[in-house]
Amino acid sequence: MSSEQITTEYGPISADFQTAKLSELCVEKIGVQTGPFGSQLHQEDYVEIGTPIITVEHLGENRILHDNTPFVSDADRDRLSRYSLQEGDIVFSRVGSVDRRSLVRKAENGWLFSGRCLRVRAKRDLIDPIYLSYFFGHEGFKNYLRSIAVGATMPSINTKILSDVPIYFPELEVQKRIGKILLEIDDKIELNRQINQTLEQIAQTIFKSWFVDFEPVKAKIEAKAAGRDPERAGMCAISGKLEPELDQLSSEHYQQLAATAALFPDELVESELGLIPEGWGGQRLENLLDLCYGKSLTKTERRDGDFPVYGSGGITGFHDKPLVAGPGIIVGRKGTVGALYWEDRDFFAIDTVFYVVPKNGATFEVLFYLLQTLGLEKMNTDAAVPGLNRNNVYRLPVPKYPKELMEVFSKTVGIVRGKISCGLCENKTFATLRDTLLPKLLCGELNFIEEVA
């Protein structure tokens, strides 16, 4: 490709690229397709097991999110077959964040899409679907699409608007090379995301084993009743190892494990919380933390910076000054009630969230996983706008955990959280690389694609 560029509605594009309306690059009649009308599919049609149907909430960063998808029966799947998805389709949000789009991968073959979405199905002999999905992710394209959306209160697009957008593209082989480079970066991001998800599950499992199910205590009780060594039984419960494997551990590791096991008693006693480890007792959650109000920070007040701004839905932007020193825990107060976020960096908590201040020896690691077990998301107290009353949270009864055990847990899980943090940093770097490469590839500033082929 040459380095000559033309000026387009999306910014500079390589002069070597061709252009066509999206509809000219898509399968006839169904190439740009809106989802089923509400009259064709009702919420009561959803079933426990069946074919997933995706909506706007399932559109991630060019990837469909699999969590919490509703399902329809085989009969409804067949009835709505014209709204079926194929690998290589691209799904857009039709309302709200109209620039959100996701590429359909093999795992979503045969799924359905809802009436709040639009499906794009490319003619593969003209346009590579992967290239097209990344073209849709170009910031200039996204800005343009938002500018031509209609609707006074809620932006929306329709098949006509999307069909008419111009697409710029090189020859097919070059499209595929561009798509491959960007897809490989996204695959690395996805792999890190999956690893982090596994690490989170490991941390949750350790918390549940130690502080909810009291498995080391139960193991000691069982061993004592059977005339075996309760301390070694506790070590097995903590480490997941069999007794013979304990003898294979290094002396240092063995001593550390034994010291941790010794922090658990070998009896359970009755309490207002049910059976709890002997000597722990009960307390109110207010003994372990303060929930502090965030501060108003409108979008017009924000200045470009590195500090994430948290609302109840998660990160809503960035600012040049933090309100809270990290690490920290953010709790949804208004809107997404009880949502929990861990943040390693200094951050700004706005007035729709609380941020957590530990006290009396509690640690962030213990509190983060403890709060996940308390069902805060079910504690809405306001009818109009969902809200979380912190006094109700303070009154929740929890066991009185030994400080030494909380410290050991924090040290153990701190290693896990460190790996999660590394994964997040890597993904930030990968995303920056992808977003930097994309406009350079489209404007012809980088033409190494032909050289590396």
Side-chain angles (χ1 to χ4, degrees), residues 148-201:
I148 61 173
V150 296
T153 55
M154 177 78 79
S156 65
I157 56 175
N158 52 40
T159 54
K160 179 69 168 64
I161 290 173
L162 195 57
S163 296
D164 287 345
V165 296
I167 304 297
Y168 297 86
F169 54 99
E171 60 184 80
L172 194 55
E173 277 308 306
V174 177
Q175 294 175 35
K176 291 180 178 177
R177 292 170 197 158
I178 291 175
K180 183 172 182 290
I181 289 170
L182 298 171
L183 191 66
E184 285 177 352
I185 295 173
D186 269 348
D187 285 346
K188 290 182 185 300
I189 292 174
E190 174 61 13
L191 179 61
N192 275 346
R193 189 195 67 79
Q194 291 177 7
I195 290 172
N196 275 2
Q197 192 174 42
T198 301
L199 290 170
E200 279 287 2
Q201 289 169 350

Side-chain angles (χ1 to χ4, degrees), residues 212-228:
V212 178
D213 295 335
F214 314 126
E215 287 179 356
V217 180
K218 291 176 180 175
K220 282 187 171 185
I221 294 171
E222 188 178 332
K224 196 168 64 171
R228 293 186 286 110

